[in-house]
């Protein structure tokens, strides 16, 4: 077969599958989606919790964020729950589900759209609302604007790429400053502002240029993962550069004053994308990676990466897997929650490592199905949310207590833990009042001071 | 302040119109890449939202075609990776080439093309879709993806080589099944 023959076959192939014009409904869908964005401007920022060193065990698990929720799936009434642990259906890899009905779609509750948030301790936390960084020192009752000077100065022009605080004083904000043209100095540049006084004053710094100098229009979010006030990583997952693809890792040992040269995780064709989690300055993983079982590990501070092993139970080898952020409790031991999306629903399992992320074995299975959020106080005490239901275990998932999370709206939550009583939940809510149209979305911030039994909405602005 | 808000609204209106005028072409390209009209619709909507969130990075509206194409290709690539992850460990062979609409591979004598295409990387499939589906020239692809023409030629060459090898592999697999 000559090149011409092959090219002709390809042209014929595409002519055969040419769909022609889309249905008019697609235009309506896009208009509705854009209108939803316009009414509630949203920066696509992953919630990155600020973690105090003493609370390094606390971890936020974001599961199923890639999935849209169905009409009516939100704002479902609070469910009554049994305190008895649920059991797995014999012969099934997925837990059984109770009979449920979806109420008619309801408009989203009022409140600010929170793009990102982090809880440092029971009193101190931060949130990003309408391009402004807000900080609280009283558990969310009052807030002050701690936006770095110069950054977000023109809210419509700057891109917030990431935020992290390791304690009430030390924090970092990654921003791509607004540009007037592709020749601007800030085109594709990441400014990393740092504070050592809780956001009262900020110092501007820069990330070095990526190995492949990227284009601003595809600049990814910056995942900031600080181990303490001095040591941390900045990770740009899926940094597209002139048609090639890379993911770039930078390391600082002086609180962000200086950064290492780029340690790209890819060769320029396909970088190792995903979400980072480091146990030490050398040992860490990228989860949700398009490699192996979805998790890769480094033991040399990101210079080289290898596929980690993940023990898959029968029947789940082919299921979609979505990892939460891994939690490390010391230099070797850690946990990660994995949501398996199968033909009959999804189930969340917890995996444990004892070798700094090289191998992961099954530790427990959540007794509920559907997208769940899980966070770890330590190796044995975990707390989770499944819709408006609270799950808690004190024995590494052998037994669970299930109660209602009162006043927490349904949706896709992520948990931010301060201690066993104080937590925040970012709840991503999205509803289409009619099928795939008249849609709106918003992320609300909720707080609990009683271990998750009751929740109140916060208004960080 | 009021003037700024008004200017912003006007700019946003223009951006919304800009995106809406590209839906048809985007849907066609997404279908070529994903080979699934429903998945293509989802990809177009997702790409529009990504573009909206990144709208301030587009300063030259004349570059909008390439800008939006790159975003759409990224969205499609992510979707293909999700599919690949789902396929891994199950019946990969039956997954490859599966689509919701008939492919040329379904035609008699051409049964190996669809599955063979699915063996290519998402980037290779996107490039072939731009070149032979959307019938863009090499310079046009280079402009849209913002890469040198020589790079486009080189990648097309490699993609065709890989496709040829994949077709051979499909034929061997088919003969082995008999």
């Amino acid at each position: 077969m000559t090149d011409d023959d092959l090219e002709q076959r390809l042209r014929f192939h595409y002519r055969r599958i040419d769909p022609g014009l889309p249905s008019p409904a697609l235009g309506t869908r896009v208009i509705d989606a854009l209108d939803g964005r316009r009414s509630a401007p949203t920066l696509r920022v992953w919630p990155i919790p600020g973690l105090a060193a003493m609370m390094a065990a606390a971890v936020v698990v974001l599961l199923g964020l890639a999935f849209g929720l169905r009409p009516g799936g939100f704002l479902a009434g609070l469910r009554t729950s049994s305190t008895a642990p649920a059991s797995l259906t014999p012969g099934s890899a997925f837990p059984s589900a109770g009979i449920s009905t979806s109420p008619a779609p309801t408009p989203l509750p009022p409140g600010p759209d929170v793009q990102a948030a982090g809880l440092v301790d029971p009193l101190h936390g931060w949130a990003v609302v309408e391009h402004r960084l807000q900080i609280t020192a009283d558990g969310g009752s009052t807030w002050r604007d701690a936006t770095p000077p110069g950054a977000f100065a023109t809210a419509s022009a700057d891109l917030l790429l990431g935020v992290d605080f390791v304690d009430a004083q030390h924090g970092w904000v990654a921003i791509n400053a607004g540009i007037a043209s592709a020749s601007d100095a800030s085109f594709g540049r990441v400014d990393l502002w740092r504070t050592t006084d809780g956001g009262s004053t900020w110092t501007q710094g820069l990330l070095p240029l990526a190995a492949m100098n990227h284009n601003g229009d595809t600049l990814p979010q910056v995942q900031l993962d600080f181990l303490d006030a001095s040591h941390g990583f900045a990770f740009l997952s899926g940094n597209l550069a002139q048609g090639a693809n890379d993911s770039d890792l930078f390391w600082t040992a002086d609180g962000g004053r200086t950064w290492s040269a780029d340690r790209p995780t890819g060769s320029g064709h396909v970088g190792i994308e995903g979400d980072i989690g480091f146990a030490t300055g050398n040992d860490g993983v990228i989860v949700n990676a398009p490699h192996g079982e979805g998790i890769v590990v480094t033991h040399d501070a990101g210079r080289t990466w290898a596929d980690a092993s993940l023990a898959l139970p029968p029947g789940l080898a082919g299921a979609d897997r979505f990892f939460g952020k891994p939690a490390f409790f010391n230099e070797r031991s850690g946990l990660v929650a994995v949501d398996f999306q199968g033909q009959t629903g999804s189930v969340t399992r917890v995996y444990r490592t004892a070798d700094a992320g090289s191998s992961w074995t099954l530790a427990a299975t959540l007794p509920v199905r559907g997208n769940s959020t899980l966070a770890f106080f330590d190796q044995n005490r975990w707390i989770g949310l499944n819709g408006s239901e609270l799950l808690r275990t004190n024995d590494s998932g052998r037994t669970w207590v299930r109660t209602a999370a009162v006043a927490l709206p349904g949706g896709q939550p992520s948990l931010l833990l301060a201690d066993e009583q104080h937590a925040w939940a970012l709840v991503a809510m999205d509803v289409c009042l009619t099928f795939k149209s008249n849609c709106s979305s918003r992320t609300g911030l909720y707080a609990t001071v009683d271990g998750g039994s009751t929740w109140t909405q916060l208004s960080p602005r | 302040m009021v003037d700024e808000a008004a200017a912003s609204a006007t700019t946003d209106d223009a951006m919304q119109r800009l995106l809406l005028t590209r839906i048809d072409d985007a849907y066609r390209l997404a279908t070529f890449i994903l080979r699934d009209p429903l998945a293509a619709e989802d990809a177009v909507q997702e790409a529009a939202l990504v573009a909206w969130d990144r709208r301030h990075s587009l300063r030259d509206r004349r570059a909008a075609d390439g800008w939006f194409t790159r975003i759409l290709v990224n969205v499609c690539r992510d979707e293909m990776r999700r599919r690949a992850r789902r396929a891994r460990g199950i019946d990969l062979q039956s997954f490859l080439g599966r689509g919701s609409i008939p492919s040329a591979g379904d035609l008699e004598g051409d049964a190996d093309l669809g599955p063979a295409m699915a063996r290519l990387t998402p980037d290779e499939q996107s490039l072939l879709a731009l070149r032979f589906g959307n019938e863009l020239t090499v310079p046009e692809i280079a402009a849209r993806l913002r890469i040198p023409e020589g790079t486009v030629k080189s990648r097309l060459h490699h993609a065709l080589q890989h496709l040829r090898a994949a077709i051979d592999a499909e034929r061997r697999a088919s003969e082995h099944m008999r």
Side-chain angles (χ1 to χ4, degrees):
Chain A
M1 181 169 47
T2 67
D3 285 350
D4 285 345
D5 291 338
L6 184 55
E7 291 179 7
Q8 285 306 316
R9 287 183 66 184
L10 278 167
R11 289 190 174 89
F12 182 64
H13 170 84
Y14 287 116
R15 277 200 296 273
R16 284 282 301 171
I17 67 173
D18 192 333
L21 295 176
S23 72
L26 177 59
T28 304
R29 277 180 60 186
V30 172
I31 291 171
D32 286 345
L34 294 178
D35 285 346
R37 276 288 202 276
R38 295 184 67 168
S39 61
T42 300
L43 285 174
R44 308 176 114 255
V45 177
W46 287 71
I48 305 170
L51 299 178
M54 60 182 292
M55 301 186 305
V59 62
V60 178
V61 178
L62 305 173
L63 296 173
L65 285 181
F67 291 91
L69 299 179
R70 290 171 295 181
F74 293 92
L75 307 181
L78 296 175
R79 287 173 283 176
T80 56
S81 304
S82 165
T83 55
S87 60
L88 292 179
T89 303
S92 169
F94 293 89
S96 59
I99 298 173
S100 63
T101 58
S102 295
T106 313
L108 297 178
D113 186 34
V114 181
Q115 284 94 55
L119 184 57
V120 176
D121 59 38
L123 294 178
H124 296 89
W126 57 268
V128 176
V129 176
E130 296 178 352
H131 301 256
R132 311 294 298 183
L133 177 64
Q134 305 286 345
I135 286 180
T136 181
D138 57 10
S141 297
T142 60
W143 298 82
R144 66 181 173 90
D145 191 326
T147 308
F152 306 112
T154 54
S156 63
D158 296 337
L159 289 174
L160 178 115
L161 301 174
V163 181
D164 194 18
F165 275 77
V166 293
D167 55 38
Q169 303 301 317
H170 296 87
W172 299 264
V173 174
I175 291 168
N176 177 225
I179 56 175
S181 74
S183 60
D184 273 11
S186 60
F187 188 73
R189 189 187 74 192
V190 176
D191 297 338
L192 255 174
W193 294 78
R194 61 184 186 277
T195 181
T196 58
D197 58 9
S200 296
T201 61
W202 292 88
T203 304
Q204 187 178 16
L206 287 177
L207 270 189
L209 284 179
M212 296 187 301
N213 192 11
H214 39 67
N215 297 312
D217 55 11
T218 54
L219 198 60
Q221 294 153 22
V222 177
Q223 298 178 37
L224 297 171
D225 189 10
F226 274 80
L227 304 172
D228 54 41
S230 299
H231 302 87
F233 289 90
F235 183 54
L236 282 70
S237 173
N239 195 5
L240 195 74
Q242 299 184 358
N245 183 275
D246 209 347
S247 291
D248 303 291
L249 185 70
F250 304 89
W251 159 256
T252 182
D254 57 12
R257 291 177 185 81
T258 60
W259 291 86
S260 71
D262 186 11
R263 299 171 184 172
T265 65
S267 62
H269 185 58
V270 178
I272 302 176
E273 301 176 29
D275 307 302
I276 59 167
F278 276 85
T280 71
N282 287 319
D283 306 291
V285 296
I286 298 176
V287 297
N288 296 312
H291 275 254
E293 300 300 346
I295 182 168
V296 296
V297 62
T298 181
H299 297 297
D300 58 6
R303 293 176 178 84
T304 61
W305 296 86
D307 288 346
S309 67
L310 184 75
L312 296 175
L316 288 177
D320 262 343
R321 296 183 279 280
F322 296 92
F323 293 75
K325 188 172 176 62
F328 287 99
F329 307 102
N330 54 47
E331 293 184 350
R332 310 293 293 174
S333 303
L335 295 168
V336 68
V338 187
D339 188 33
F340 291 85
Q341 302 273 343
Q343 297 286 337
T344 57
S346 70
V347 60
T348 299
R349 293 171 184 255
V350 179
Y351 281 82
R352 186 187 305 278
T353 182
D355 55 12
S358 291
S359 61
W360 297 82
T361 55
L362 182 62
T365 301
L366 260 67
V368 292
R369 58 192 293 173
N371 292 335
S372 299
T373 299
L374 198 62
F376 308 106
F377 293 111
D378 55 33
Q379 299 203 51
N380 298 315
R381 296 176 300 159
W382 313 338
I383 186 172
L385 285 170
N386 182 269
S388 297
E389 185 177 34
L390 182 74
L391 302 96
R392 183 183 288 271
T393 178
N394 293 318
D395 54 10
S396 301
R398 279 186 286 277
T399 60
W400 295 85
V401 174
R402 299 168 61 176
T403 56
V406 177
L408 187 70
Q412 179 58 55
S414 54
L415 269 172
L416 315 170
L417 302 184
D419 57 30
E420 287 200 82
Q421 297 302 312
H422 299 83
W424 287 358
L426 272 166
V427 183
M429 299 171 284
D430 198 345
V431 68
C432 293
L433 297 178
T434 53
F435 183 68
K436 288 193 173 184
S437 62
N438 198 7
C439 302
S440 58
S441 62
R442 189 175 64 77
T443 298
L445 182 61
Y446 295 81
T448 180
V449 296
D450 59 7
S453 297
T454 58
W455 297 80
T456 55
Q457 186 175 10
L458 302 181
S459 294
R461 57 185 176 189
Chain B
M1 201 64 178
V2 173
D3 290 340
E4 284 182 13
S8 177
T10 303
T11 303
D12 287 351
D13 287 342
M15 173 56 68
Q16 183 160 333
R17 285 195 299 273
L18 183 150
L19 293 174
L20 292 175
T21 58
R22 281 157 179 81
I23 285 180
D24 293 354
D25 286 344
Y27 171 69
R28 191 162 173 256
L29 177 59
T31 305
F32 287 154
I33 297 173
L34 298 174
R35 286 178 288 164
D36 181 337
L38 293 178
E41 288 191 358
D42 290 341
V44 170
Q45 178 175 334
E46 174 66 16
L49 289 174
V50 172
W52 178 262
D53 291 341
R54 295 282 181 186
R55 63 193 183 280
H56 303 299
S57 66
L58 179 66
R59 296 296 170 176
D60 185 354
R61 294 294 165 87
R62 293 168 298 182
D65 278 336
W67 174 75
F68 190 52
T69 297
R70 289 192 296 278
I71 291 173
L72 179 68
V73 168
N74 276 346
V75 170
C76 292
R77 187 181 58 197
D78 290 344
E79 169 59 20
M80 293 174 75
R81 285 177 180 167
R82 280 193 289 271
R83 289 183 183 181
R85 186 172 297 160
R86 181 184 293 124
R88 185 173 50 225
I90 52 175
D91 186 1
L92 185 63
Q93 199 61 41
S94 65
F95 174 83
L96 294 172
R98 185 189 301 166
S100 299
I101 55 178
S103 71
D106 298 328
L107 299 177
E108 189 175 354
D110 205 18
D112 49 5
L113 187 57
M117 296 250 330
R119 287 176 177 259
L120 303 183
T121 68
D123 287 341
E124 289 172 334
Q125 294 192 50
S126 300
L127 192 60
L128 292 178
L130 285 167
R131 177 71 185 94
F132 301 108
N134 280 30
E135 298 277 9
L136 296 182
T137 65
V138 168
E140 287 171 334
I141 296 173
R144 287 207 181 194
L145 298 184
R146 212 184 285 184
I147 55 179
E149 289 184 27
T151 304
V152 175
K153 290 177 183 174
S154 171
R155 290 184 185 172
L156 274 173
H157 175 71
H158 287 299
L160 290 171
Q161 274 190 328
H162 292 162
L163 179 59
R164 196 188 302 275
I167 291 172
D168 288 343
E170 283 297 322
R171 285 180 175 162
R172 285 195 300 273
S174 177
E175 290 167 1
H176 179 71
M177 292 295 290
R178 290 180 194 142

